[in-house]
């Protein structure tokens, strides 16, 4: 009897899980989004090949003009280390919600490792440096240069490598909380740099609060 009860509970749990995933997938497929990868890539390409710090400043200014209320203010912008998949880089988060993020990313040293496999689509447009990608199932890698855009599809895994001085603008769309496990795993189990983990979680929460405030203001609630 206990086996039957356990089996029924497992079936119920599996059913609820599948239903939740289907509902989440439908919501993400039908909801309106703030950004799209084509517009972000087009904006970033305008400044490709320039000094990355100057280019990033121009990108942020233009984003604030185009998407008022959706980009974090200067006082909340912070470069934070990212250790994931064996590589190390640095990010500056500009926007975050449950289904989108927009950030500046790069590295001052040569680095590489595993891309991660996400329930999100990620696109990067290179401002400076070079990026190498080796896709799963292939025996050859590809190199990308300033002005190029790279698409990391949902569920895809690749080997990635950045040369020192590679900086890019990155846009992600999907179920963003699903990416946090990979983004924080090396910090939690390897580097144990919990201050960096705190910075990462804090800026993501700031992004969520900003977006919630903007949505409520647009809806006339605030």
């Amino acid at each position: 009897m206990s086996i039957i009860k356990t089996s029924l509970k497992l079936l119920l749990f599996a059913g609820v899980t599948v239903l939740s995933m289907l509902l989440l997938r439908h919501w993400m497929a039908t909801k309106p989004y703030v950004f799209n990868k084509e517009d972000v890539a087009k904006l970033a390409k305008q400044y490709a090949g320039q000094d990355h710090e100057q280019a990033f400043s121009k990108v942020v200014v233009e984003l604030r003009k185009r998407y008022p209320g959706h980009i974090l203010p200067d006082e909340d912008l912070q470069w934070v280390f990212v250790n994931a998949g064996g590589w190390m880089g640095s990010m500056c988060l500009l926007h975050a919600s449950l289904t989108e993020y927009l950030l500046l990313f790069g590295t001052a040293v040569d680095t590489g490792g595993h891309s991660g496999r996400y329930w999100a689509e990620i696109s990067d447009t290179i401002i400076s440096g070079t990026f190498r990608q080796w896709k799963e199932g292939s025996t050859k890698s590809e190199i990308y240069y300033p002005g190029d855009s790279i698409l990391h599809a949902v569920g895809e895994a690749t080997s990635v490598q950045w040369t020192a001085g590679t900086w890019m603008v990155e846009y992600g769309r999907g179920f963003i909380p699903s990416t946090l496990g990979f983004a924080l795993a090396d910090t939690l189990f390897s580097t144990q740099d919990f201050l960096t983990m705190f910075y990462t979680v804090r800026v993501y929460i700031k992004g969520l609060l900003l977006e919630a405030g903007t949505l409520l203001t647009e809806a006339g609630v605030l």
Side-chain angles (χ1 to χ4, degrees):
M1 196 69 176
S2 60
I3 295 178
I4 295 176
K5 287 184 178 180
T6 301
S7 299
L8 288 174
K9 288 180 180 179
L10 289 174
L11 285 173
L12 179 61
F13 175 76
V16 171
T17 301
V18 171
L19 180 61
S20 299
M21 292 178 66
L22 290 174
L23 290 173
L24 181 60
R25 184 176 180 181
H26 174 73
W27 175 64
M28 290 192 298
T30 56
K31 74 176 294 292
Y33 290 90
V34 177
F35 310 93
N36 67 68
K37 62 178 181 289
E38 292 81 12
D39 289 345
V40 172
K42 184 177 179 181
L43 172 60
K45 285 179 182 179
Q46 295 180 27
Y47 307 108
Q50 298 184 18
D51 173 78
H52 70 276
E53 292 185 340
Q54 294 181 11
F56 284 162
S57 295
K58 295 174 183 177
V59 167
V60 172
V61 169
E62 188 62 32
L63 286 170
R64 288 204 176 110
K65 291 179 181 178
R66 296 187 187 186
Y67 309 99
H70 295 286
I71 304 298
L72 286 168
D74 284 342
E75 58 266 28
D76 289 331
L77 299 185
Q78 178 184 7
W79 283 99
V80 180
F81 277 142
V82 182
N83 289 275
W87 49 262
M88 184 173 184
S90 186
M91 71 158 186
C92 180
L93 189 69
L94 305 178
H95 169 90
S97 69
L98 293 176
T99 56
E100 290 179 282
Y101 73 80
L102 183 61
L103 55 79
L104 311 174
F105 178 82
T107 175
V109 298
D110 295 334
T111 190
H114 193 285
S115 66
R117 198 186 298 269
Y118 316 108
W119 194 2
E121 179 185 79
I122 298 171
S123 60
D124 292 278
T125 301
I126 300 175
I127 299 297
S128 64
T130 58
F131 173 79
R132 183 186 292 269
Q133 183 186 64
W134 174 24
K135 290 192 174 184
E136 184 178 24
S138 172
T139 59
K140 295 181 179 180
S141 63
E142 294 187 46
I143 302 177
Y144 297 88
Y145 301 92
D148 290 339
S149 292
I150 309 101
L151 181 66
H152 186 90
V154 175
E156 184 178 35
T158 69
S159 173
V160 291
Q161 184 181 63
W162 297 264
T163 57
T166 299
W167 301 94
M168 51 184 62
V169 179
E170 179 171 298
Y171 170 62
R173 175 185 290 190
F175 187 51
I176 304 307
S178 70
T179 68
L180 295 179
F182 175 79
L184 298 175
D186 277 13
T187 300
L188 181 61
F189 298 108
S190 179
T191 67
Q192 296 186 353
D193 182 359
F194 299 114
L195 183 58
T196 289
M197 179 179 291
F198 167 73
Y199 289 152
T200 303
V201 174
R202 182 179 65 175
V203 73
Y204 182 58
I205 292 174
K206 285 182 178 180
L208 292 177
L209 292 175
L210 174 66
E211 192 61 16
T214 299
L215 290 175
L216 290 174
T217 300
E218 292 176 348
V221 177
L222 296 179

